[in-house]
Amino acid sequence: MKKVLIVASVVSFIEWFNKENVVFLKDEMNCDVHIACNFDYMNDTDIDRTQAYISELKAKGIVLHNIEFARSPLSSKNIKAYKELRSIINNNSFDLIHCHTPTASMLTRIAARKARKKGSTVMYSCHGFHFHNAAPKKNWLIYYPIEKFLSRFCDFIVTINKEDFNRAKTFHCKNVRYIPSVGVDIKAIQKLKIDKVAKKESIGIPADKTLIISAGELIPRKNHEVIIRALGKIKREDIYYAIAGKGPLKDELIALAKELGVSERVMFLGFRTDVFELYHAADISAFPSKIEGLGLAGVEAMAAGVPLVSSNVHGILDYVIDGQTGYAVDPDDVDGFAEAIQKLADNSELREQMKQKCFDAVAPFELSNALNVMWEIYKEVLVK
């Protein structure tokens, strides 16, 4: 029986982006699967659902290691996290160590140096480098040399967008692979039928008003602020903005909406389990992130046929086609977002024309495509 360790910062990452991979490794490849992450942090998820998922993992015989990773690589908490992770790795003979998320992956690659010498394969899935063509210079000065150096300590780098793939090929790691994101169940989203009027009204939005939807954690990287500021520029009573997600910036964003006089048209929905239905109820989707490895929320919205107003950063540009599937602008361009929103809000025919182009653009990111590519990499490493 092969032994596999999956590492990520928090349990929600495993639940959202690795659930199928855990099942494949356990049931299809008959591996002894271990997961190391922070199982206590649930500020970004539905607590009951995630606790139920943890119970499912335990019932399947998955070994869980609770490590309190901090998001910031400079946090002193990561000293303890590193020592705990190194102990777990050194006290087990893992055939594969697969790490995700920036800080956890940095610590894992350093902690696994001894294990690699004994035959463990270390795989790093990059869900978006912090340095990219549109990134500020400081990101390149800080993160690029760290990632390039740490690439010496892994055997595989898996990327989910093409810009990162081409960049990683210049690093020290011999095996660099591309997968079409972690996958979205596009067919299921497209088949979903809802009462659009009723859904809008259920979240307090009049049926005849234009609804913009965003889904994502309320953190600086997701950049919800720029859409609120764009609404402040537009000053139109017929456009509403709903955000599905939790996070530390909620109070700040509420205050900003109030300051700009749009608080009655900005809805904070909290964590939702009906996001796909919300996409179908929306007229426009907003995805203004400052950094995205790919951005599943954008793919999901387009899978529902909803045109996107998005930032023009690396991963998003793998599926957004400016002027065809919506509009892509600089993440700090308030005027650009305001103009894009008004173009789509004022032209229902344009939105309908973009619908099929949205479907075509996201087709490669179907869940089965991404999973099959990832599983072939697993087989390459574990079937010897």
Side-chain angles (χ1 to χ4, degrees), residues 1 7 44 63 141 172 175 220 234 252 273 297 321 337 354 358:
M1 180 181 286
V7 186
D44 58 349
V63 181
L141 292 173
H172 303 290
N175 298 294
I234 294 169
E252 184 177 319
T273 58
I321 306 171
F337 276 104
M354 288 181 167
C358 286

Side-chain angles (χ1 to χ4, degrees), residues 212-241:
I212 307 169
I213 187 73
S214 284
E217 198 175 356
L218 306 182
I219 55 176
R221 180 171 65 85
K222 293 298 183 180
N223 198 29
H224 301 294
E225 173 185 337
V226 76
I227 304 298
I228 297 174
R229 291 191 180 279
L231 290 184
K233 287 265 186 181
I234 294 169
K235 299 186 184 304
R236 285 175 50 168
E237 300 295 322
D238 62 329
I239 301 176
Y240 284 69
Y241 180 38

Side-chain angles (χ1 to χ4, degrees), residues 11-29:
V11 63
S12 60
F13 189 91
I14 302 295
E15 182 185 8
W16 296 342
F17 305 127
N18 272 272
K19 184 187 298 184
E20 292 85 1
N21 290 332
V22 171
V23 172
F24 176 78
L25 288 166
K26 181 66 177 178
D27 295 347
E28 300 299 322
M29 298 203 68

Side-chain angles (χ1 to χ4, degrees), residues 118-151:
K118 294 183 176 181
S120 295
T121 296
V122 175
M123 184 184 300
Y124 165 42
S125 276
C126 169
H127 296 265
F129 288 132
H130 280 68
F131 47 91
H132 52 82
N133 290 341
K137 187 176 180 180
K138 69 175 184 178
N139 284 32
W140 283 88
L141 292 173
I142 296 170
Y143 298 110
Y144 177 78
I146 292 173
E147 287 287 4
K148 187 165 186 178
F149 175 74
L150 290 176
S151 69

Side-chain angles (χ1 to χ4, degrees), residues 198-219:
K199 196 66 184 179
K200 274 188 176 181
E201 292 178 344
S202 74
I203 57 172
I205 296 174
D208 61 339
K209 305 304 183 185
T210 298
L211 169 59
I212 307 169
I213 187 73
S214 284
E217 198 175 356
L218 306 182
I219 55 176

